[in-house]
Amino acid sequence: MTSGRAASQPIEVLLVEDNPGDVRLTREALRDGKVHNNLSVAPDGVEALAFLRREGRYADAPRPDVILLDLNLPRKDGREVLEEVKADPSLRNIPVVILTSSEAERDIAQAYALHANCYITKPVDLDQFIHVVRSIEDFWFTIVKLPPEPRP
């Protein structure tokens, strides 16, 4: 395991996604993957920030090791979530992977300007989508050294 956690501890993943089909496919791809992980899902940006800040019903939420973030979300879009995460000293070192359907150059440039760690366009093809999620898993969960949770 490459994060700052014990090898027996799973990687904590927060998926911020409003499309139930994409949530199901991501869950399936990660469940069948090589690395033990726990997937939490927030259906919109407001819920994602409450989860990350451990507010309300998320008081006992695990701190994610990585965030998979869609840009086009209801209530508060992914750009706003990314901006708030990267502006918060207690959250900014969590890697944020943009996983979205947008191929717009403006969205890509803005995501990186807001300090996204990478930008991936969701494939429309089912098999390709699963391949992309597994590639994210291979890279972020087995190759990359994930930062430890900051000490208070």
Side-chain angles (χ1 to χ4, degrees), residues 82-93:
L82 177 61
E83 186 170 17
E84 289 190 41
V85 166
K86 293 304 182 179
D88 185 328
S90 67
L91 301 174
R92 75 169 54 125
N93 70 340

Side-chain angles (χ1 to χ4, degrees), residues 130-144:
I130 290 172
H131 175 75
V132 163
V133 171
R134 289 193 178 140
S135 296
I136 291 169
E137 177 194 39
D138 286 345
F139 182 73
W140 285 100
F141 303 174
T142 63
I143 297 172
V144 170

